[in-house]
């Protein structure tokens, strides 16, 4: 089987992405039923995290273990990575020892370089540009709760950063309408925004959520932007997602957030208690969707 990387949703066809969503649903059902399913016995993965993680790390470590394999957590400071070992060498060494590499690092170019030199699949566990694993969980969650996302309206409110970029790619692949409300200076990259006619940029969050079936936001200061927090609080003040904002969307709207959430900043203090918020179901699907991804990249489609 030729190796395939998952650096962006756009690396996969619509058919393969839909397969992953369906398989993720099956993984969730098997998990709920307590089914033992261990097709990755004897396989190992390297999980390199240069930035903090709760969900992504747990989903890959627990997911690999549940599938019968093992994920090795590697912090960059405890390996030779932070001492400057070239990425090309890292890629070649890892390819000799493990079956797959999952990596989170700010520099998307480093992930591309790793993938270019590795002979095993490489997964983007989040970069400053994209967070494709999160989108697998989000689309699975929407489709479990509301059916097909094709033709739906999604509103992304806030920073036009990696989550916003991945929502643009998702709108491209799944053919839904994406309204983005972001303040001046925090718009998504123009080349990503214009890669699909399904995404449009607005200033007003209330305009963005009109007819929305799903409202999404992310933190105002992503990892690496913490020193800008005070300035960003002022710039993003009108972009907080509140119960009132959700009231302006469709009656059966869902709210998602990749977490961690900052109550009182990008969401109101009480929003996650609102029945329209499905963030814990969404977080749980990080496990199931990443198990589907690991299985697909290591064994190919297995039917469902
Ligand atoms: N949503 C997400 O990627 O969470 P972590 O940063 O905790 O992995």
């Amino acid at each position: 089987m030729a190796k395939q990387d998952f650096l962006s949703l756009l690396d996969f066809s619509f058919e393969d992405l839909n397969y992953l969503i369906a398989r993720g649903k099956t993984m969730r059902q098997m998990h709920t039923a307590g089914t033992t399913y261990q097709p990755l016995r004897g396989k190992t993965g390297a999980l390199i995290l240069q930035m903090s993680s709760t969900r992504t790390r747990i989903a890959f470590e627990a997911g690999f273990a549940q599938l019968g394999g093992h994920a090795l957590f590697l912090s960059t400071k405890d390996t030779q990575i932070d001492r400057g070992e070239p990425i090309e060498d890292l890629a070649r060494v890892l390819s000799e020892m493990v079956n797959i590499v999952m990596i989170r690092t700010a520099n998307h170019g480093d992930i591309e370089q790793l993938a270019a030199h590795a002979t095993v699949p490489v997964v983007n566990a989040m970069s400053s540009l994209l967070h494709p694993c999160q989108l697998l969980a989000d689309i699975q969650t929407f489709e479990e709760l509301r059916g097909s996302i094709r033709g739906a309206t999604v509103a992304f409110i806030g920073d036009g950063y990696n989550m916003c970029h991945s929502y643009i790619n998702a709108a491209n692949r799944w053919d839904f309408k994406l309204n983005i409300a972001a303040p001046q200076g925090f718009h998504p990259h123009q080349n990503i925004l214009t890669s699909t006619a399904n995404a449009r940029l607005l200033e007003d969050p209330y305009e963005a959520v009109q007819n929305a079936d799903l409202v999404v936001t992310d933190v105002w200061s992503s990892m690496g932007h913490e020193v800008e927090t005070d300035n960003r609080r002022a710039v993003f003040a009108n972009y907080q997602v509140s119960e009132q904002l959700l009231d302006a969307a469709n009656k059966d709207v869902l709210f998602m957030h990749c977490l961690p959430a900052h109550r009182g900043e990008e969401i109101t203090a009480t929003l996650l208690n609102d029945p329209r918020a499905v963030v814990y179901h969404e977080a749980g699907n990080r496990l199931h969707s990443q198990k589907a991804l690991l299985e697909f990249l290591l064994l190919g489609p297995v039917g469902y």
Side-chain angles (χ1 to χ4, degrees):
M1 192 172 96
K3 82 128 174 173
Q4 193 171 1
D5 302 309
F6 186 63
L7 309 192
S8 160
L9 292 173
L10 301 183
D11 290 343
F12 278 26
S13 67
F14 175 64
E15 290 71 26
D16 284 348
L17 289 171
N18 261 346
Y19 165 81
L20 283 180
I21 299 304
R23 190 67 182 154
K25 291 177 194 169
T26 303
M27 290 289 184
R28 186 177 184 108
Q29 289 159 5
M30 288 197 287
H31 186 79
T32 303
T35 307
T36 299
Y37 175 66
Q38 301 198 316
L40 300 189
R41 273 191 304 278
K43 300 215 182 286
T44 49
L47 174 59
I48 303 168
L49 298 174
Q50 196 165 36
M51 296 181 286
S52 305
S53 170
T54 298
R55 282 142 287 270
T56 307
R57 178 175 176 176
I58 294 170
F60 276 126
E61 289 202 41
F64 226 120
Q66 289 167 17
L67 292 172
H70 182 67
L72 291 149
F73 166 66
L74 302 173
S75 84
T76 56
K77 71 177 167 46
D78 297 326
T79 58
Q80 304 290 4
I81 297 169
D82 279 359
R83 297 181 64 241
E85 182 164 23
I87 291 172
E88 178 177 345
D89 289 352
L90 176 68
R92 291 182 172 186
V93 170
L94 288 173
S95 299
E96 293 280 336
M97 297 193 193
V98 300
N99 302 100
I100 189 167
V101 180
M102 296 76 74
I103 177 165
R104 168 173 289 193
T105 183
N107 188 342
H108 191 78
D110 286 351
I111 305 181
E112 290 179 330
Q113 203 186 344
L114 187 76
H117 293 288
T119 57
V120 297
V122 173
V123 174
N124 177 0
M126 197 186 84
S127 69
S128 57
L129 192 68
L130 297 170
H131 197 358
C133 290
Q134 183 67 48
L135 265 291
L136 295 180
D138 287 17
I139 302 297
Q140 179 179 332
T141 304
F142 185 89
E143 296 208 339
E144 282 172 338
L145 298 174
R146 292 288 184 268
S148 173
I149 198 165
R150 190 184 187 97
T153 297
V154 178
F156 185 94
I157 311 297
D159 193 6
Y161 196 56
N162 51 7
M163 276 300 297
C164 182
H165 292 155
S166 285
Y167 261 93
I168 296 170
N169 288 346
N172 182 340
R173 276 292 184 265
W174 275 279
D175 198 17
F176 59 79
K177 184 175 162 188
L178 179 65
N179 296 332
I180 300 161
Q184 287 289 345
F186 297 91
H187 292 173
H189 289 328
Q190 187 69 10
N191 62 330
I192 297 177
L193 178 67
T194 56
S195 65
T196 173
N198 288 341
R200 66 178 181 144
L201 183 61
L202 305 159
E203 294 279 321
D204 179 6
Y206 278 87
E207 188 183 352
V209 302
Q210 272 183 24
N211 301 316
D213 304 294
L214 170 63
V215 174
V216 186
T217 192
D218 192 6
V219 293
W220 290 343
S221 298
S222 291
M223 282 184 276
H225 297 149
E226 290 84 353
V227 294
E228 302 170 27
T229 296
D230 287 343
N231 176 51
R232 283 171 176 253
R233 278 193 190 119
V235 171
F236 284 94
N238 292 332
Y239 291 82
Q240 184 183 67
V241 179
S242 62
E243 289 85 341
Q244 290 73 20
L245 187 66
L246 296 187
D247 290 344
N250 274 349
K251 192 165 57 63
D252 61 350
V253 69
L254 296 176
F255 171 72
M256 294 191 205
H257 187 310
C258 62
L259 303 180
H262 294 176
R263 291 166 174 82
E265 292 191 8
E266 77 276 3
I267 58 167
T268 54
T270 49
L271 192 68
L272 298 192
N273 304 328
D274 189 290
R276 294 169 290 189
V278 291
V279 298
Y280 304 116
H281 184 130
E282 176 192 9
N285 276 342
R286 294 296 305 277
L287 172 68
H288 311 299
S289 58
Q290 286 175 211
K291 285 169 72 175
L293 178 66
L294 290 170
E295 180 192 54
F296 181 81
L297 291 174
L298 290 170
L299 302 177
V302 296
Y304 53 93

